[in-house]
Amino acid sequence: MKLTIKVDPDLCIGAASCVTIDPATFLLNEENKVYVLDHGEAPGGQVYERVIEMTEDEKETLILSAQSCPTLAIFIYDEAGEQIYPDM
Amino acid sequence: MAKQFVIIGGGIAGTTAADQIRKIDADASITIIDEEFHPLYSRILLVHYLEEKVPRERVFMKKLEWYTKNNIELMSGVIAKAIDTKNKFVTTSDDRELPYDELLITTGGELRMIEDDRRGIAYFRSMDDADYILKLVNELRAQPKKDWHGLIYGGGFIAIEFIKIFDHYNIPMTIMMRGDGFWSRVLSDHSKKVLADHAKAGGVTIINGVKEFDFIGEGDFEGVVVDGKEIKGQMLGVGIGMQSKAAFVREAGIEMDQGIVANSFLETSTDNVYTAGDIAQYEDVSAGRSMVAGNWMKAVMQGRVVAQTMTGTRTEFELVSSYSTHLMGKEIVFIGDTDRSAADKVVQHVAEAGDSVELFERDGRTVGALFIGSVKERQAITNAIKKSEIYAR
């Protein structure tokens, strides 16, 4: 499945719990904000939003990492554009 | 028969554990005893709410329906009064006796408070505190602008949160610190100077070495008297640290020191009793010593790990945790073990005008680091701590 992952840099405080849980998807930049990776790679540079092809297991890890964010700065959307995290 | 799990404390550590236990054991009975009247919310997001970055409802991380859907009983506004560790039950403030097979204590730290409790004095730990601060800020802003003045007592994380709030509303402020700077017992002189210079450049007045002060008047807060000098203001934000008393834990015979003493599996001295989060004094594998550390990342990860152990898969907790904030845009990051008194050596790795990086070393390896300003080496230093190496300077 394809998921859109977005980090709001205004909310991100660099707590980095997402990096600990899902290092293949998140990494800190020099501004202490988290940016989004595609399976450990950053094609096109350090961006706050990506569409990524994921397995069910990878999705579960991604959701866990988003749930661990203390500022709820990670947003996940499905292929139809529906927000699946945080719950609306 | 379904296993009975009781969790005292409904914050992020306890709720994460409940969530994990439910994922592992669909039939378990899970009860959370929580002194607050709200479902889980993010304490870290409270300041974003006060800074008007997110609406109040966005601070909540769980809705009440989540507890129902997952068959987790949330006892809100209830306090654990006593634990009978022999017969394995918890007595609550509403006189219920809850039997347990496995008990988790995640009550967090308790605020240190000043003696006076007049109206206008605010602390900052809970959602209710945040609502009260907003009320006081709005009352302050209803005054003529020339009179606006916010006061802060303390020099740590909570003091910084009050600075953010006053700064957001353009309220002139004075901060009274007990020591000689921010985190006076943790930071080097250089780090303190970087932060103090930055705060002063942002218009903050700093008074150091304030061990005590008096209040102006007898009624609502009007200001303080420091060394005979009156400083008027409409509110006082207090952030002078946390403590872990948890009298009911001590009375139950569960070993306590700076927090509830646990091994690296988060098991306490008493069978079937576990702890996690800010109240846990646990054997930290990466630091190589017993420590209390209050931060979000650690609370989340301990909640996940302790759930494994409580459900029968004994799992050791290992994490290099970190905490981040900022002072008026100046990044502040603590990683790993930054207790100065427990370090063999603290190296001032970067000492630029606006930047400071300190490395905490023990037994020939880097165990902690703190950053003020530039964080570009954060990942590399975190990796060195994880690998029990000395960070190559």
Side-chain angles (χ1 to χ4, degrees):
Chain A
M1 82 198 78
K2 273 193 167 66
L3 295 175
T4 301
I5 302 159
K6 204 165 108 180
V7 173
D8 182 339
D10 287 337
L11 291 176
C12 178
I13 59 164
S17 42
C18 60
V19 179
T20 302
I21 295 174
D22 192 355
T25 310
F26 300 107
L27 196 60
L28 282 165
N29 64 21
E30 291 193 2
E31 288 167 8
N32 208 33
K33 307 286 183 191
V34 161
Y35 63 96
V36 185
L37 300 173
D38 184 344
H39 296 87
E41 305 288 326
Q46 300 181 1
V47 294
Y48 293 120
E49 182 174 344
R50 277 186 200 280
V51 179
I52 302 174
E53 182 70 42
M54 286 202 154
T55 64
E56 201 54 51
D57 283 353
E58 287 169 344
K59 179 186 167 190
E60 196 176 317
T61 304
L62 171 69
I63 300 272
L64 275 175
S65 69
Q67 285 173 339
S68 78
C69 174
T71 59
L72 299 173
I74 300 169
F75 297 81
I76 305 166
Y77 306 88
D78 65 14
E79 282 176 62
E82 291 289 317
Q83 183 173 318
I84 54 177
Y85 190 83
D87 293 342
M88 294 301 279
Chain B
M1 193 180 153
K3 218 169 176 187
Q4 292 178 305
F5 293 87
V6 173
I7 299 169
I8 308 175
I12 186 64
T15 308
T16 301
D19 191 12
Q20 289 295 309
I21 292 167
R22 174 56 71 226
K23 282 184 181 138
I24 296 163
D25 185 345
D27 300 322
S29 153
I30 306 172
T31 303
I32 299 175
I33 303 168
D34 191 30
E35 65 177 339
E36 294 203 40
F37 288 90
H38 309 286
L40 178 70
Y41 59 87
S42 167
R43 294 192 199 287
I44 312 289
L45 258 180
L46 290 173
V47 75
H48 285 58
Y49 153 53
L50 293 177
E51 289 178 302
E52 301 175 296
K53 282 188 187 171
V54 297
R56 188 176 185 278
E57 62 269 20
R58 270 288 310 278
V59 179
F60 291 96
M61 304 189 85
K62 300 284 184 219
K63 295 177 181 151
L64 284 172
E65 297 84 61
W66 178 84
Y67 298 86
T68 315
K69 197 176 121 199
N70 286 282
N71 194 20
I72 294 168
E73 184 187 7
L74 175 64
M75 297 171 66
S76 293
V78 177
I79 294 166
K81 277 202 320 197
I83 306 168
D84 183 330
T85 57
K86 188 163 169 258
N87 299 302
K88 291 169 74 176
F89 68 89
V90 178
T91 308
T92 65
S93 54
D94 56 355
D95 290 328
R96 270 177 70 181
E97 289 183 349
L98 299 171
Y100 66 81
D101 294 305
E102 313 291 341
L103 174 67
L104 175 63
I105 306 171
T106 58
T107 46
E110 295 159 50
L111 287 171
R112 280 186 207 280
M113 302 176 96
I114 57 174
E115 275 180 31
D116 206 291
D117 65 348
R118 68 186 65 200
R119 193 171 189 289
I121 297 174
Y123 296 86
F124 193 18
R125 180 170 188 265
S126 67
M127 176 60 90
D128 294 343
D129 291 335
D131 288 336
Y132 181 58
I133 290 167
L134 192 57
K135 192 174 160 66
L136 291 175
V137 164
N138 286 334
E139 287 172 11
L140 182 155
R141 295 170 77 220
Q143 306 281 322
K145 201 166 181 180
K146 66 175 178 54
D147 295 333
W148 290 7
H149 195 200
L151 276 73
I152 301 165
Y153 188 46
F157 285 110
I158 297 301
I160 298 246
E161 301 294 70
F162 278 113
I163 290 177
K164 287 180 193 169
I165 297 161
F166 290 148
D167 187 44
H168 174 74
Y169 291 100
N170 295 313
I171 298 169
M173 65 186 107
T174 297
I175 177 164
M176 305 179 289
M177 297 183 186
R178 293 177 295 172
D180 62 354
F182 289 100
W183 289 283
S184 62
R185 282 181 292 184
V186 180
L187 267 54
S188 68
D189 289 344
H190 180 71
S191 294
K192 285 177 204 164
K193 185 172 183 322
V194 172
L195 285 178
D197 288 350
H198 191 72
K200 285 175 192 164
V204 180
T205 302
I206 299 175
I207 308 174
N208 289 316
V210 181
K211 303 288 183 207
E212 55 184 26
F213 57 87
D214 293 317
F215 289 92
I216 299 173
E218 298 294 325
D220 291 355
F221 183 77
E222 295 174 52
V224 296
V225 183
V226 181
D227 289 335
K229 192 182 154 210
E230 280 195 359
I231 307 169
K232 290 195 171 161
Q234 290 79 30
M235 65 180 284
L236 172 68
V238 179
I240 51 172
M242 306 291 283
Q243 55 194 350
S244 299
K245 282 197 207 148
F248 73 99
V249 176
R250 204 179 291 270
E251 282 160 17
I254 298 163
E255 188 186 350
M256 284 197 75
D257 181 20
Q258 301 300 307
I260 300 174
V261 177
N263 60 18
S264 58
F265 295 86
L266 305 171
E267 297 158 329
T268 70
S269 61
T270 303
D271 287 347
N272 307 104
V273 181
Y274 310 80
T275 187
D278 291 6
I279 198 163
Q281 180 181 331
Y282 63 103
E283 193 61 35
D284 189 297
V285 175
S286 68
R289 71 184 186 98
S290 175
M291 59 190 279
V292 178
N295 70 64
W296 181 273
M297 187 204 273
K298 190 207 68 184
V300 170
M301 302 309 277
Q302 285 193 340
R304 291 182 63 188
V305 166
V306 81
Q308 297 283 337
T309 299
M310 291 173 73
T311 50
T313 309
R314 204 159 171 262
T315 308
E316 190 167 45
F317 173 74
E318 186 170 3
L319 173 75
V320 177
S321 68
S322 63
Y323 189 98
S324 296
T325 185
H326 71 87
L327 171 70
M328 300 169 131
K330 177 79 70 186
E331 295 295 333
I332 303 170
V333 180
F334 292 73
I335 297 173
D337 186 357
T338 53
D339 185 336
R340 221 172 181 85
S341 63
D344 292 339
K345 189 161 87 169
V346 181
V347 178
Q348 185 72 55
H349 176 55
V350 173
E352 305 291 331
D355 295 318
S356 181
V357 179
E358 299 181 53
L359 301 173
F360 294 70
E361 296 176 0
R362 189 168 57 244
D363 300 332
R365 61 198 185 102
T366 307
V367 292
L370 67 85
F371 301 78
I372 313 284
S374 172
V375 294
K376 62 184 176 196
E377 288 178 277
R378 176 176 176 173
Q379 197 62 52
I381 293 173
T382 303
N383 291 343
I385 298 171
K386 278 184 187 163
K387 290 183 198 155
S388 299
E389 293 172 354
I390 192 105
Y391 181 63
R393 304 190 292 275

